[in-house]
Structure formats: C-alpha cells, structure tokens
Amino acid sequence: MRSIVSTASRSETGSALTSPSAAASELATPAAVPGGRAEGGSRAPLTKIPFNHPFATGDEFSCISAAIDNLHLSGNGPFSELCAQWLEESLGCKRALLTSSCTSALEMAMLLADIGPGDEVIMPSFTFVTTASSVALRGGVPVFVDIREDTLNLDERQVDAAITSRTRAIMPMHYAGVACAMEGISRIARRHELIVIEDAAQGISASYRGRSLGTIGDLGCISFHETKNLICGEGGALLVNRPDWVERAEVIQEKGTDRARFLRGQIDRYTWVDLGSSFLMSEISAAFLWAQIQHAEEILARRMAIWSAYHERLAALEATEALRRPTIPVDRYHNAHMYYILLEDRASRDRLIEGLANQNIHALFHYIPLHSAPAGERFGRTAGELTVTDRMSERLLRLPLWVQMSESDVNRVCCAIEQTL
Ligand SMILES: Cc1ncc(COP(=O)(O)O)c(C=O)c1O
C-alpha cells in the first residue's frame, strides 16, 4: 500500500492493518507522546498530520496501463463495466452508471426526476453545495429542513411540514456515512408520491437495516472524490434503483443519445433522443477506481480501526462533557468515512482548531449551512427553524482520518485535544 503524495518520510505511518482493539491498545506507547524529547534532549519537530491524505493501493498503475493497452480511454469501457458490476452486485442496485463526479450523478438525477422550474426538493441545509445546486440548475427550489441532533441528518419528523403542492422530491444526505432514518423518509415519500434521491456521496459500504446506502431511494449518488473512502481523483456513480428508469438514465449519461442501445446492437445507429450531457467517467479514472475496489475491504478495515481508536480514546472527554462523539444508531453500519466531535460552542471549537494547528495537526469545521449562503438565500427557501443546523455547524470539528494514519498519529491528535481542552 502506498500513499499517492510522497510527503516527508512518514516512517511512523503505513503500519500493517490492525483491528480496532489493537489500534486502541497501541495508543499508550511512549513513542506516541507528541513533541516528545528526541535522543540527546532536543525537542523533536512535529511532522504535519494533514486532514486528508489520498491513498493508493499500488495496483493503480497496472490497471491504468491495461486501460491504455485496451485502446479504450473514453467512458463506458471494460474498466467502467467492471466497476459498475461490482457496485450493482455488492450494493444491490438495478443499474450503476459511472459518472465524472457525484455532482454529475446528482445533476443526472434531477434530469431523470424531471425537476423543473418551481419544483421543490426537500433537503438538509447542512450538506455539500451540489446537493442543492443540482436542483437550482434545473430551476428547482431547494427547501431546507433542519437536521436531527443525534446523527446530524435530515430530521424526518420535520419533512411533512415542509411539503407543498410544488414538492417533487426528498433528498436525504447520509452525513459521515451514517444513514438517515430512511424508513420514516420513505413512508412520507410514498404517502405524498415523492421521489427519493439519496445523496450517498459519503456512503459507500455503509448500510441501513441491511440495505446499502444509495439503493434505498429511487436514485442514489456516490462520490469517488479523493477525500472519500474509495477514490479515483474526481468520480462518482448514479445508482438507478427503478428498473423503468434505467434506459433513460443511460441516455442522459450519453449526451441525450441512445448510444447505449446502439452499442448493445439493439438499433443500427444512434441519435439525439432526450436531454443529457457528457456525464461519463473516463476509462483512466475507472481503471484507478478498479484498483481501489480490489482493496475495498482492507481500506474499510483500516479506516474502522482509526475511527474506533478515536472513539475509545475520546470516551473519557465525552464523560466530562468536554465534547460529544458521533452517534451511530443500532440499525446502521457506518463506513468510518469521517470522525467528528462536537464542542460546547463556536469559541471552544475555534480554540481547538488553533490548538491543533499549533501542534501541526489539520482539523476542519463543516458545513457553512446552505440556507445562509448567498446562493442558498437566492435559490432556496427554509422550512421551519434551522436551529440545530446553525448550532451544530458552529460546534463541529472533523479530525484527520486517512488510511495510512498510524496509531501514534491518532494518539497525537487526542493528546493535543486533551491539552487544548
Ligand atoms: C454530501 C456530498 N454531496 C455531494 C458531494 C459532491 O461530490 P463530488 O465531489 O464527487 O462531486 C460531496 C463531496 O464532498 C458530498 O460530501
């Protein structure tokens, strides 16, 4: 396993895969004391712990080289097909289409759902910009609803009150790879005949009551951006869960043409039949992604070990109410996409960002709520008070979490948190 960016020697990283308990038990080793004295008594310089560090498995070059040998570098070639099949089989969806990003998948979803001017789509304000911009691009109106205190996901108890005669869809976003309360959301959608589009950008390998995220709604959108669990630089997938939408999804992905049917030999030439754009992932990216998919289990196990090490180590601080750790409801498997903590207020969160930065550790807040962003005010509307959204956005801090982080890195972050708090 290799890191993509060759940073200054990280001899303390890249340890063999460890179980969560082994990871936690290693935390107490003396070598892990931050800023510990180097031999001879001088203070050792603190290496930087970045927030994210993209990870390569080592198989990427050979897969890309095979893609070059295939003489098929554009989209929907052999590597795209392999990745799509893996997504369909391992997640359980009718059809997976690889896209140039999750944003592209969200934009395809809006075309498929026929979202048009004035149509309202219910979503959290506590989400990434393209959850909402994909709706606004079609002339639709993102309707921002508050989030739950526990998972920080769309509060399904407030969705009913946001529905109007213009409502067409609900967009749950699974924050940090922890599922939304999909049963409640699906029930409301059925009652009002609304489409459900899951923003599962962060959700690969996570599940809700045994069902993979992205396969529960009508459509699901996944990201393979370099910050996600499985990566290819920029990339994504649209999961089409309604069999009757598969053919139109293929058309939208292929610039509005029926090229997919032509390639299957179902028609003798292809032509422009509908709206669409160039949404495909290139074979070079698909080859990179295929290499990652081969190591999906190891990547997940390693991320879990780091997540669990944070979680065990920070339990004592939660007990003193200095911070709150993530909540994972019992009916969901998360994917260790992110480890965040909630501080008492914005001042203590910002103090901690600075305290960590002083020890060369990069931690980040999340999100600036969309309802208070200039474009959110212009294109969207709020339904009800968004008090939990505003409060959580001020209190939240994401800690570094990447595959090659070592146990001593985790220990250094936790020691720095203890010292600052
Ligand atoms: C919740 C959410 N939605 C959408 C996206 C967009 O993903 P991409 O960068 O692949 O377009 C992201 C990426 O960070 C995300 O976290």
Side-chain angles (χ1 to χ4, degrees):
M1 290 193 181
R2 295 180 297 116
S3 93
I4 292 171
V5 182
S6 65
T7 56
S9 151
R10 300 197 52 81
S11 54
E12 80 277 28
T13 64
S15 55
L17 296 180
T18 50
S19 66
S21 54
S25 68
E26 267 192 52
L27 291 176
T29 55
V33 177
R37 300 266 165 201
E39 274 181 55
S42 62
R43 189 169 276 277
L46 290 171
T47 50
K48 183 173 173 73
I49 301 183
F51 174 70
N52 182 48
H53 193 85
F55 168 71
T57 65
D59 293 337
E60 285 79 3
F61 281 122
S62 59
C63 287
I64 288 171
S65 170
I68 294 168
D69 290 345
N70 285 340
L71 299 178
H72 186 139
L73 302 177
S74 58
N76 280 344
F79 278 103
S80 300
E81 198 42 46
L82 283 171
C83 295
Q85 261 173 26
W86 180 81
L87 287 168
E88 286 158 14
E89 282 158 24
S90 70
L91 305 184
C93 70
K94 182 67 193 158
R95 185 83 172 101
L97 298 174
L98 293 194
T99 56
S100 51
S101 64
C102 179
T103 299
S104 301
L106 289 164
E107 291 173 11
M108 283 182 70
M110 294 311 137
L111 283 164
L112 257 177
D114 279 326
I115 299 301
D119 287 343
E120 297 184 350
V121 179
I122 293 170
M123 66 180 67
S125 165
F126 188 76
T127 183
F128 188 71
V129 58
T130 56
T131 319
S133 67
S134 60
V135 174
L137 263 178
R138 308 297 322 147
V141 181
V143 176
F144 300 119
V145 168
D146 212 358
I147 51 172
R148 296 179 57 103
E149 288 257 1
D150 53 2
T151 56
L152 315 188
N153 283 332
L154 181 69
D155 190 339
E156 74 285 359
R157 297 160 299 189
Q158 301 196 37
V159 169
D160 253 328
I163 293 174
T164 70
S165 58
R166 299 305 311 261
T167 308
R168 294 288 321 284
I170 308 175
M171 278 179 92
M173 188 278 275
H174 307 293
Y175 187 62
V178 180
C180 294
M182 288 307 293
E183 190 177 316
I185 291 170
S186 305
R187 199 177 321 116
I188 296 167
R190 270 195 306 275
R191 197 173 340 117
H192 295 273
E193 295 184 11
L194 303 176
I195 295 161
V196 176
I197 301 164
E198 295 176 69
D199 183 337
Q202 305 172 10
I204 190 87
S205 318
S207 61
Y208 171 82
R209 300 186 181 174
R211 295 176 71 185
S212 298
L213 303 193
T215 69
I216 305 166
D218 298 288
L219 299 165
C221 303
I222 305 258
S223 176
F224 300 115
H225 183 264
E226 71 169 29
T227 50
K228 300 301 186 288
N229 287 21
L230 300 179
I231 64 173
C232 64
E234 300 276 359
L238 177 70
L239 309 183
V240 187
N241 302 315
R242 285 179 58 155
D244 54 328
W245 281 8
V246 169
E247 197 166 301
R248 182 149 184 251
E250 290 174 344
V251 166
I252 290 170
Q253 186 202 29
E254 282 272 19
K255 298 108 178 158
T257 72
D258 49 5
R259 186 163 179 268
R261 294 189 68 212
F262 168 73
L263 292 177
R264 283 195 292 268
Q266 294 167 325
I267 46 179
D268 61 1
R269 77 184 84 161
Y270 69 90
T271 186
W272 182 24
V273 294
D274 201 342
L275 287 180
S277 190
S278 181
F279 286 119
L280 292 91
M281 177 186 285
S282 102
E283 272 290 283
I284 301 290
S285 300
F288 194 109
L289 183 59
W290 181 242
Q292 295 264 314
I293 285 172
Q294 305 307 299
H295 295 268
E297 282 180 20
E298 294 156 60
I299 290 171
L300 181 63
R302 184 63 202 147
R303 294 188 76 96
M304 272 306 178
I306 298 160
W307 194 101
S308 302
Y310 273 132
H311 207 59
E312 275 184 45
R313 175 64 186 271
L314 296 174
L317 280 176
E318 186 176 62
T320 66
E321 297 186 0
L323 55 79
R324 206 193 95 186
R325 298 178 302 160
T327 304
I328 314 290
V330 288
D331 56 356
R332 296 156 221 202
Y333 281 109
H334 72 99
N335 60 1
H337 172 59
M338 184 194 299
Y339 198 89
Y340 67 81
I341 52 176
L342 292 162
L343 286 306
E344 200 185 336
D345 51 24
R346 180 194 286 258
S348 39
R349 192 269 312 271
D350 291 351
R351 246 191 332 271
L352 184 53
I353 291 180
E354 204 181 313
L356 292 171
N358 288 340
Q359 302 216 26
N360 220 1
I361 296 164
H362 193 199
L364 288 172
F365 62 84
H366 226 191
Y367 290 102
I368 296 173
L370 295 180
H371 70 277
S372 47
E377 286 177 351
R378 185 166 152 211
F379 296 112
R381 73 168 176 86
T382 57
E385 299 287 313
L386 301 191
T387 46
V388 182
T389 300
D390 286 329
R391 207 160 8 97
M392 294 303 172
S393 144
E394 291 181 348
R395 295 173 52 199
L396 189 137
L397 188 63
R398 291 176 292 158
L399 304 180
L401 198 172
W402 31 275
V403 170
Q404 287 176 299
M405 253 184 104
S406 69
E407 286 67 34
S408 67
D409 288 333
V410 175
N411 188 56
R412 220 181 97 193
V413 176
C414 293
C415 286
I417 293 172
E418 284 158 3
Q419 281 170 18
T420 312
L421 293 182

